[in-house]
Amino acid sequence: MAAFDLITVSAAVAPLAAAWSVHTLLLRRRLARARLDPLTGLPVREEFQVRARQELRGLGRVVVLVDLDGFKAVNDTYGHAAGDAVLAAVGWRLRRWAADLGGSAGRLGGDEFAATAHPESVNRMPSHLRELHEVLRAPVDFRDRQIHVGASIGAFPVTDQLRPDLAAALRRADEAMYEAKRSGGGWHIAWGPIPEITTTNGRRTGRPGTTPLRGGVR
């Protein structure tokens, strides 16, 4: 092929290659955004589960589930914009708490969140959960008012003797969270072995929210 022809072909291909590179970059960015909740910036359920499984390979990890109390009343009283402000604030607060303890956070859906933590000792978890509960209950500024919500928190420590898969760990944290909710909010830790109960999407089968999955001892 003559040099002129090579130059002509190169000139024709270069814009296509550049366009494809831009397309690939945009596609990667879209995929990255798809793994994050657009409201809170937290990983969505699937992405959080990927990260949490990796973190649970180490010892001393704690799995945490958070369900907001009174959130529906916020939407009903102040509108969904206020509810979005609450969710965004809760997501930011949970992410910061988890990061301070060497973990990560995610939004499971609705007003349910999950996190992992790697405290210096699992014996310190009561004080860490007490701190988290206070942080999440702090009022959220929205326009000319302060909005209050409660939180029910469940935690399950992963120890050398208890090395469950993520689904089982989430189920135990879920059970602990409902213990807290039945007590009017607060936090609860699930200790001890995992009961022989079937699991659906990381929740005990048969309880509300398993089909499909919904989003302390004080």
Side-chain angles (χ1 to χ4, degrees):
M1 182 179 294
F4 177 79
D5 293 333
L6 289 175
I7 294 174
T8 302
V9 171
S10 299
V13 171
L16 294 176
W20 180 251
S21 298
V22 172
H23 173 75
T24 302
L25 178 60
L26 292 176
L27 180 60
R28 288 177 178 173
R29 289 180 177 176
R30 291 194 189 101
L31 290 173
R33 287 196 296 267
R35 298 188 184 103
L36 299 179
D37 173 51
L39 179 61
T40 64
L42 295 177
V44 297
R45 178 194 304 275
E46 293 78 9
E47 179 67 14
F48 171 77
Q49 289 175 336
V50 170
R51 300 184 186 187
R53 286 190 182 95
Q54 294 174 344
E55 294 175 14
L56 290 187
R57 294 172 183 170
L59 295 178
R61 268 60 174 180
V62 179
V63 178
V64 177
L65 277 180
V66 176
D67 186 275
L68 299 183
D69 300 325
F71 179 72
K72 184 178 182 299
V74 172
N75 281 332
D76 293 343
T77 302
Y78 303 111
H80 289 282
D84 288 348
V86 169
L87 293 175
V90 168
W92 184 85
R93 294 169 181 177
L94 181 61
R95 173 167 47 193
R96 183 173 180 179
W97 177 86
D100 286 345
L101 292 176
S104 58
R107 184 185 178 193
L108 301 185
D111 60 338
E112 288 193 338
F113 298 81
T116 58
H118 187 197
E120 61 276 17
S121 169
V122 294
N123 294 327
R124 294 286 307 276
M125 280 310 296
S127 62
H128 291 312
L129 293 174
R130 188 177 300 112
E131 174 192 13
L132 176 62
H133 186 241
E134 291 301 316
V135 166
L136 296 183
R137 290 178 64 245
V140 176
D141 293 325
F142 177 71
R143 297 176 182 170
D144 59 345
R145 58 175 57 89
Q146 289 189 324
I147 299 175
H148 296 262
V149 293
S152 294
I153 305 169
F156 177 68
V158 178
T159 64
D160 191 23
Q161 292 75 31
L162 300 172
R163 298 291 297 274
D165 59 21
L166 178 61
L170 285 171
R171 191 190 72 218
R172 286 294 276 152
D174 174 63
E175 293 167 354
M177 183 269 290
Y178 265 81
E179 283 296 325
K181 190 173 288 290
R182 280 192 288 268
S183 300
W187 56 271
H188 188 85
I189 300 176
W191 300 98
I194 297 177
E196 293 296 328
I197 303 174
T198 59
T199 297
T200 302
N201 292 327
R203 302 299 181 83
R204 62 187 183 281
T205 301
R207 81 113 169 128
T210 55
T211 313
L213 178 64
R214 291 189 323 117
V217 178
R218 291 183 297 161

